[in-house]
Amino acid sequence: MPAILVIDDEPAIRESLAFALRRDGFEIAEAASLREARAGVASADLVILDLVLPDGNGLEFLRSLRARSDVPVIILTSRDEETDRVVGLEIGADDYVLKPFSPREVTARVRAVLRRSARSAGTHAEEEKPLRKDRLALDLRTRKATMAETELALSRTEFNLLTLFLRSPGRVFERSQILEAVWGSDVVVGDRTVDVHIKALRRKLEEAGGDPRVLETVRGVGYRLRDDG
């Protein structure tokens, strides 16, 4: 079974999550600090990450993790930490859970994120040709995105979003269609999640010398990849 790393400095939270996840068949490792987390993250199939930790900021840990790993991450936040949730999604978190939460909800989200990750890894990408739009290219076999000669540091979700648009240039996708295609029907996220990831994609395209306007907003509907013919 997949190995889950639970990172939280509150013993009661770690224990309740560990109990619920072990009961569902998962292997569990626990970390009460970022120092402990760094030692255990390499063997994790999914990370549950609290953002407030005694020896550092969970968002900075997530940022550094995304620079070297695509391991799925679910962040734990309080209801009044909307900014942190948005930033977490921009950096590359796969989902979030609001405190207080039920361990049963977290277990369901863990399974949903792992299923989505498995679907992404299990596609027949090796049989597909690279997708291109001007200087932007996606290699579906290696899951690398480049703008000209610059590799884009994309999260798994961001890569899947770009794949969706590059496969159908010019097509307008409603937010609900994007959620279904990229997140799946079993992940409970809202339209705001799509907007956050589109914003992050535009920023990364611009930083690599591309035109962020290639991802167009269709007011009142959703988004499309601009097709200039």
Side-chain angles (χ1 to χ4, degrees), residues 157-169:
T157 300
E158 291 166 348
F159 187 93
N160 292 343
L161 265 176
L162 267 185
T163 301
L164 177 68
F165 287 119
L166 280 169
R167 279 177 171 157
S168 303

Side-chain angles (χ1 to χ4, degrees), residues 11-25:
I13 290 179
R14 293 199 311 274
E15 290 169 8
S16 65
L17 288 175
F19 177 79
L21 290 165
R22 284 193 180 104
R23 185 176 55 189
D24 237 35

Side-chain angles (χ1 to χ4, degrees), residues 113-129:
V113 170
L114 288 173
R115 280 196 297 271
R116 175 154 52 94
S117 177
R119 285 198 301 267
S120 174
T123 59
H124 300 292
E126 66 276 7
E127 300 175 2
E128 299 189 55
K129 296 180 180 179

Side-chain angles (χ1 to χ4, degrees), residues 60-70 91 151 153-154:
E60 290 305 314
F61 176 80
L62 175 59
R63 194 188 306 275
S64 65
L65 180 63
R66 278 292 169 259
R68 65 183 189 279
S69 172
D70 204 27
I91 293 173
E151 184 174 343
L154 302 183

Side-chain angles (χ1 to χ4, degrees), residues 10 15 51 60 62 64 75 93 106 108 165 180-181 185-186 194 200 208 214-215 223:
E10 297 185 42
E15 290 169 8
L51 296 185
E60 290 305 314
L62 175 59
S64 65
I75 57 176
V106 178
F165 287 119
E180 174 69 24
S185 58
D186 50 5
V194 175
V214 71
L215 293 175
Y223 298 96

Side-chain angles (χ1 to χ4, degrees), residues 40-218:
V41 72
S43 58
D45 296 306
L46 182 142
V47 174
I48 298 175
L49 172 66
D50 185 28
L51 296 185
V52 181
L53 293 157
D55 58 344
N57 187 306
L59 289 175
E60 290 305 314
F61 176 80
L62 175 59
R63 194 188 306 275
S64 65
L65 180 63
R66 278 292 169 259
R68 65 183 189 279
S69 172
D70 204 27
V71 63
V73 175
I74 297 175
I75 57 176
L76 302 177
T77 73
S78 299
R79 293 187 181 276
D80 58 353
E81 295 174 336
E82 180 180 1
T83 299
D84 284 348
R85 295 198 298 274
V86 170
V87 172
L89 292 171
E90 287 183 334
I91 293 173
D94 295 84
D95 199 358
Y96 64 84
V97 175
L98 297 178
K99 294 180 179 180
F101 53 81
S102 74
R104 186 175 180 180
E105 175 195 3
V106 178
T107 299
R109 288 178 179 267
V110 165
R111 287 196 172 282
V113 170
L114 288 173
R115 280 196 297 271
R116 175 154 52 94
S117 177
R119 285 198 301 267
S120 174
T123 59
H124 300 292
E126 66 276 7
E127 300 175 2
E128 299 189 55
K129 296 180 180 179
L131 299 173
R132 297 184 180 277
K133 168 64 178 175
D134 299 329
R135 296 184 298 155
L136 176 63
L138 299 185
D139 187 323
L140 302 177
R141 183 178 57 84
T142 61
R143 294 186 63 82
K144 289 185 178 181
T146 55
M147 174 62 69
E149 300 301 318
T150 302
E151 184 174 343
L152 303 175
L154 302 183
S155 70
R156 178 179 49 258
T157 300
E158 291 166 348
F159 187 93
N160 292 343
L161 265 176
L162 267 185
T163 301
L164 177 68
F165 287 119
L166 280 169
R167 279 177 171 157
S168 303
R171 175 182 170 181
V172 178
F173 288 93
E174 298 180 7
R175 287 175 175 83
S176 61
Q177 293 173 318
I178 296 172
L179 286 170
E180 174 69 24
V182 176
W183 279 267
S185 58
D186 50 5
V187 178
V188 184
V189 294
D191 291 353
R192 175 63 172 156
T193 301
V194 175
D195 298 337
V196 166
H197 281 82
I198 293 293
K199 179 181 177 182
L201 271 176
R202 285 171 171 164
R203 174 176 53 79
K204 291 181 179 182
L205 290 173
E206 186 171 26
E207 289 174 349
D211 183 359
R213 294 172 298 177
V214 71
L215 293 175
E216 289 187 324
T217 300
V218 181

